[in-house]
Each structure stands twice: as structure tokens, then as C-alpha cells.
């Protein structure tokens, strides 16, 4: 059995993982320092606008991922091939 | 009570939720885990979007978030960020969890853990550990709901009575329709909350500044309370360390109801679609936060910060808007309380009672429905009536504990080498560290106690997993086609499991 960590094997998978990581890091220290200023952007505090941008970015990367990485058949069609769990 | 409209609107909401919840059953029999537990895996993307959105938006959005804005300022936005990240987790894990259900017959998350690690003990522990925070959360939301009814009735409906009114309503539709009721009522509650939050927020901003946007509120805030616009906030207690560790701990706490939501989808694709758009739902928090900021000027001397939105409504808004806010807040509280009660009943029956007493699948399904009554009568109701001051503490400990289950989920989704012994060792030590750093030495160096638990838990989990025996190939062979389709099953030969797709995400 292959026990190695499960990581993306394709270039598209790696790209999506990188995008997800960037979006997550954007909400954490130290990236959040970029927005930690008492200025208003679009009428909102910079940190609030930053949070709204993270909402948009999260949605955007998932929509991109949906295009680049369609769900594998083995997940989409699992309902057709039920097994019995070992602990049943 | 000067005007009956707010109370009538709030009670009308309760009646509608009850009606929808009861009707949600349709012609389905509810004595199986598949139906009562996960709605026969029948929910489409739109219902899933509202279900996941409303389930994660609690009374906190209508009471706590404005309260945080009123007392601390922008630190409140950490909630928006971690909720968006939960959607990323849902996008990746949700379809796989759904496939566990469809292919392996799982319903609860503890069932998946028990199966993956070949350990009913670990499954039962998962169930019990996750239910500590879940029950504390259900109690908190019930208290919030009872408080709303008390305020809306001007004290006419006493707090204790309201607790049983709320729990009684939930019990009726939960018993009759199970997860179908949660789906339908949460979809209704989710839509209602969106309308209420934006109506209240924009109306309050317009009344204060004359504009239909929030810029004027924040311009005034910048002149008078500039420290509210940056971290660490008005109270100076949201350091960067606490901000970051709170987001990390919150986004990795796989709550039982969230798992059941994923299981309830009609397809893996529906989860992806709804998760992709889910972050947009969290814009609902913005207008309510603005109401809290407006309260800084209108209500500078509040005793309890989390009453700011309600107080502002009663002082400045027409009765219809007050009623809308009451209904919206009650919807937020009930939509969060009911899935946690349902999830706890389900997992206790499936993962603790069933293995202990060797119950059949059918008997387990019947028992789960009835277990909501003792949970409400003996735990949620009495604890809510006591209204303990340290309940937030219990909740924080519970969530910190829940985060300590992360190694089990790492083992499920990304690391086949993870072992039962590794998870158990990490969980035990992480549990102790989280308890110590919550109760004895709260959040050392400004880092969330649950994060400290994980700092010790994760290396121990990896270390012990490396030196103990992994799950059998037969077990991993059942999980790998779901979590890693197309991945070579043998490291040495590169042999591949025959799957219909080689795309590996």
C-alpha cells in the first residue's frame, strides 16, 4: 500500500492547491498587516474590505477549481457502486 | 409591552418554521438513519447553500457580532474570514464525505473514523469529544432564542418558559422530519436572515447618515474611535497571534452537523456547487456589524454589548423592523441549535450505543429519533435554564477539544500512514494541553488554547503513526479510490487501482 501523503499529481491540481494556500494565507498574519490601517476603502475600514475580498477570492478560486478539476468519476458515480463498510 | 407587532411577527416566524418542519417529512418513513439522519441524501445545491450558510450563522451574527463591533471594532471580521475558509474545506472534503456515505454506507463522521482506523473505540471517542462543544453550542443558541422571545414580549413570556417553547418547537419537527426538517427550516431561516440583516443594516445606516451605504458611519468612527478600525481593536485584546490562531482552529474543527449536511446532498456535485458560492452568504454579517458600529454613537453606555442591535431597534426602528429583527435573530438561533441536537442524538446512537448494545440498523434508526427528547429534557433545557456564566468557556473548551480531532481527519483525507495509536496519543495530549491553556493559563502569549493543543498534538500524532502499524490494506483500499482517485496503490511498482478517472485533486 502506498502510504505517502496525498498531494496533487497534476499541474492543475498543484495550481489549485497553490491558489487555495494563497487565499488562506491572505487572511492570516503577516499578510493581514497589509490591511491593518485606519483608512477607508469603498467606504469600509481596510480590514473589512480585506475580509470582503477574501470572500470574493474564496469563491473565485473554487469556481476556477470547478473548471480545472472536474470531480473524478469515482466520486461522482459512487452511488451506483455501493459497498458495505467493514464495521457494519 | 407597548406594541404587539414585534412579538406577533416573532411568534409568526415560530409557527411558520414549525409548519415547514412538519411538512418536510412528506411521505417518507423516518425510522431509518438514512432518512432521519441524512434526509435520504436528497438535497440540491440551492438548499445546500442555504443549509450550510444558515447552519453556520448563529445568533452570534445578530447579537454577538454587533456586540463585538460595539466593544472591539474590526476584530469581528475574523469570523467572516474563517467561515469563508470553511467553504474551501467543504469544497475539498464535502464530496469525499458524501462518497463515503454513498459507497461505504457511512452516516456520521465518527462512523467514518471508526471504519478508517478499524477502531470502534476511536469512533465512540470521536462522537463523545465532538458532542461536548456541540451541546454547549446548542445550549448557547437556545439561551439566545429564549432571550429574544423574552425581549420581544416585553417580559410577558418568561425566559424559562421560552426555553421550553423553543425546544418544544424544534423537538416536534425534528422528531417528525429529522434532517429533512433541518434542510427546509434552515433554507427558510437562511433566506430570512439575508433579508433581515440587509434591511436592518441599510435602514440604520440611512437613518444615521442619510446615505444608503455604510461610508458615513465609518468616516465618523475614524474621527472619534480610530482604534476600532485596526487590530488589536478597541479593547486591545485581538492580537495578530489570537486572530491567526482563532481562524486556524475554527476552520479545522469538523463539526458533526456540517458532516451531516454534506451527507444530505443529492450528489457530490451539489456540494461542490453550493460550497463554491457559500462564502457569498457570509456578506450577511456585514450589515449587522455596521449596526454594532452605529450603536457606539447611539448607545454608548450599554450594560451588555450583545444587546446593542436589539436595543437600537427598540429605540429607533419602526415596530415592523423590530419584529423582523426578532424573527431573524430567532431564526439564526434555532437554525444553529437544531442541527447540533440532531447530530448529537444521531452520533450517540450510531457510534456509542449501537456498538455497546449490538443494536440492529433499524433499531438504531428508531432510537436516534427518541434520543432527542432526553438530550433536550436532561441536558440542553436544564443547562439553558441555569444560564451559566461560564458557558462561553465550556464552548471554547469544547471547540478546542473538537480541533484536537484534526489528526483523525488528516488520516481520513490526506495521510494513509496515520494510525489509530497516533490519533489516540495526539488526541489525549492535545486534550490535556487545551484544557490547561483554557482553564488554568488562558491562551498563553495570545495564542488560542486549541492551537496550543494542536502544536503538541500534531507532532506526536506523526511520530506515533510512523512507528505503529497502519490500517490494513483492505481498509485503505476501500478509502483510497474516494480520497485519492487514480493514485498508485503501490509505492514501489506504481501499480494503479482501476478507476474511471485519473484526475486527482
Amino acid at each position: 500500500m502506498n502510504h505517502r501523503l496525498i498531494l496533487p499529481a497534476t499541474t492543475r491540481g498543484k495550481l489549485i492547491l497553490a491558489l487555495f494556500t494563497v487565499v488562506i494565507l491572505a487572511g492570516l498574519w503577516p499578510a493581514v498587516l497589509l490591511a491593518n490601517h485606519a483608512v477607508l476603502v469603498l467606504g469600509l475600514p481596510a480590514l473589512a474590505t480585506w475580509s470582503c475580498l477574501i470572500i470574493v477570492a474564496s469563491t473565485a478560486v473554487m469556481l476556477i477549481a470547478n473548471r480545472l478539476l472536474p470531480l473524478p468519476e469515482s466520486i461522482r458515480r459512487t452511488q451506483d457502486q455501493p459497498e458495505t463498510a467493514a464495521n457494519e | 409591552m407597548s406594541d404587539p407587532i414585534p412579538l406577533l411577527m416573532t411568534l409568526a416566524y415560530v409557527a411558520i418554521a414549525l409548519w415547514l418542519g412538519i411538512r418536510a417529512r412528506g411521505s417518507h418513513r423516518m425510522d431509518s438513519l438514512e432518512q432521519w439522519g441524512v434526509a435520504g441524501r436528497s438535497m440540491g445545491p440551492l438548499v445546500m447553500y442555504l443549509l450550510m450558510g444558515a447552519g453556520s450563522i448563529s445568533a452570534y451574527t445578530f447579537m454577538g457580532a454587533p456586540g463585538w463591533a460595539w466593544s472591539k471594532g474590526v476584530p469581528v471580521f475574523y469570523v467572516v474570514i474563517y467561515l469563508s475558509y470553511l467553504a474551501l474545506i467543504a469544497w475539498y472534503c464535502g464530496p469525499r464525505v458524501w462518497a463515503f456515505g454513498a459507497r461505504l454506507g457511512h452516516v456520521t463522521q465518527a462512523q467514518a473514523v471508526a471504519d478508517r482506523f478499524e477502531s470502534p473505540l476511536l469512533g465512540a471517542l470521536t462522537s463523545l469529544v465532538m458532542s461536548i462543544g456541540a451541546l454547549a453550542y446548542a445550549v448557547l443558541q437556545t439561551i439566545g432564542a429564549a432571550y429574544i422571545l423574552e425581549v420581544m414580549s416585553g417580559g410577558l413570556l418568561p425566559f424559562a418558559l421560552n426555553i421550553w417553547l423553543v425546544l418544544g418547537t424544534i423537538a416536534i419537527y425534528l422528531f417528525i422530519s429529522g434532517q429533512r426538517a433541518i434542510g427546509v427550516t434552515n433554507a427558510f431561516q437562511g433566506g430570512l436572515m439575508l433579508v433581515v440583516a440587509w434591511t436592518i443594516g441599510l435602514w440604520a445606516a440611512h437613518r444615521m447618515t442619510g446615505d444608503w451605504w455604510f461610508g458615513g458611519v465609518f468616516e465618523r468612527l475614524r474621527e472619534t474611535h480610530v482604534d476600532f478600525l485596526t487590530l488589536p481593536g478597541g479593547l486591545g485584546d485581538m492580537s495578530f497571534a489570537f486572530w491567526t490562531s482563532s481562524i486556524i482552529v475554527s476552520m479545522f474543527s469538523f463539526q458533526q452537523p456540517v458532516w451531516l449536511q454534506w451527507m444530505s446532498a443529492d450528489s457530490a456535485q451539489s456540494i461542490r456547487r453550493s460550497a463554491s458560492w457559500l462564502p457569498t452568504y457570509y456578506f450577511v454579517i456585514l450589515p449587522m456589524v455596521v449596526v454594532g458600529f452605529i450603536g457606539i454613537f447611539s448607545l454608548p453606555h450599554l450594560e451588555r454589548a450583545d444587546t446593542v442591535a436589539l436595543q437600537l431597534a427598540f429605540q429607533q426602528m419602526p415596530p415592523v423592523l423590530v419584529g423582523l429583527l426578532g424573527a431573524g435573530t430567532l431564526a439564526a438561533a434555532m437554525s444553529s441549535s437544531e442541527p447540533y441536537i440532531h447530530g448529537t442524538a444521531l452520533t450517540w446512537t450510531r457510534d456509542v450505543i449501537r456498538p455497546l448494545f449490538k443494536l440492529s440498523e433499524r433499531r438504531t434508526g428508531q432510537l436516534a429519533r427518541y434520543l432527542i427528547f432526553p438530550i433536550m429534557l436532561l441536558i440542553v433545557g436544564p443547562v439553558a435554564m441555569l444560564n451559566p456564566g461560564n458557558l462561553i468557556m465550556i464552548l471554547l473548551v469544547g471547540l478546542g477539544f473538537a480541533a484536537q480531532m484534526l489528526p483523525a481527519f488528516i488520516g481520513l483525507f490526506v495521510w494513509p500512514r496515520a494510525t489509530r495509536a497516533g490519533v489516540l496519543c495526539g488526541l489525549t495530549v492535545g486534550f490535556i494541553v487545551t484544557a490547561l491553556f483554557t482553564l488554568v493559563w488562558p491562551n498563553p502569549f495570545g495564542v488560542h488554547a486549541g492551537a496550543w493543543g494542536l502544536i503538541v498534538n500534531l507532532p506526536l500524532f506523526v511520530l506515533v503513526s510512523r512507528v505503529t502499524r497502519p490500517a490494513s490494506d483492505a481498509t485503505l483500499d476501500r478509502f483510497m479510490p474516494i480520497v485519492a482517485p487514480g493514485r498508485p496503490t503501490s509505492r514501489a511498482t506504481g501499480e494503479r487501482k482501476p478507476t474511471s478517472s485519473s484526475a486527482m485533486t
Side-chain angles (χ1 to χ4, degrees), chain B residues 108-121:
Chain B
T108 64
Q109 64 180 190
Q111 197 179 352
V113 171
D115 190 14
R116 159 66 180 82
F117 292 97
E118 301 168 336
S119 170
L121 169 69

Side-chain angles (χ1 to χ4, degrees), chain B residues 249-382:
Chain B
V249 168
S250 305
M251 71 182 274
F252 286 121
S253 55
F254 287 77
Q255 296 292 332
Q256 169 72 16
V258 174
W259 198 274
L260 293 175
Q261 287 164 6
W262 297 341
M263 284 282 185
S264 305
D266 62 2
S267 69
Q269 198 63 40
S270 288
I271 303 175
R272 263 206 175 180
R273 284 195 189 122
S274 49
S276 303
W277 291 100
L278 185 59
T280 60
Y281 187 85
Y282 302 127
F283 279 121
V284 71
I285 296 173
L286 179 62
M288 291 311 299
V289 164
V290 171
V291 171
F293 283 118
I294 291 171
I296 293 172
F297 307 109
S298 308
L299 302 161
H301 304 297
L302 280 178
E303 276 185 33
R304 280 182 55 182
D306 59 7
T307 63
V308 61
L310 285 169
Q311 298 271 7
L312 194 76
F314 272 106
Q315 285 190 14
Q316 300 184 358
M317 295 181 190
V320 172
L321 281 188
V322 179
L324 259 184
L325 182 62
T329 313
L330 194 58
M334 286 172 66
S335 67
S336 299
S337 176
E338 62 199 39
Y340 281 87
I341 293 170
H342 171 259
T344 302
L346 197 63
T347 188
W348 281 7
T349 320
R350 176 60 188 77
D351 306 305
V352 182
I353 298 173
R354 181 182 177 180
L356 216 53
F357 297 100
K358 313 275 183 229
L359 299 180
S360 68
E361 183 78 11
R362 183 178 172 78
R363 191 86 189 103
T364 307
Q366 290 167 338
L367 185 64
R369 289 177 83 189
Y370 287 95
L371 199 64
I372 62 169
F373 296 113
I375 287 175
M376 286 181 176
L377 286 168
L378 301 176
I379 302 174
V380 180

Side-chain angles (χ1 to χ4, degrees), chain B residues 183-206:
Chain B
V184 172
T185 55
N186 273 25
F188 166 61
Q189 290 155 344
L192 180 69
M193 281 188 263
L194 271 178
V195 172
V196 170
W198 279 99
T199 306
I200 299 285
L202 290 173
W203 188 92
H206 180 69

Side-chain angles (χ1 to χ4, degrees), chain B residues 15 24 26 67 126 147 164 216 218 299 404 434 486 494:
Chain B
T126 304
Y147 173 75
W164 297 110
F218 290 112
L299 302 161
Q404 304 315 310
T434 304

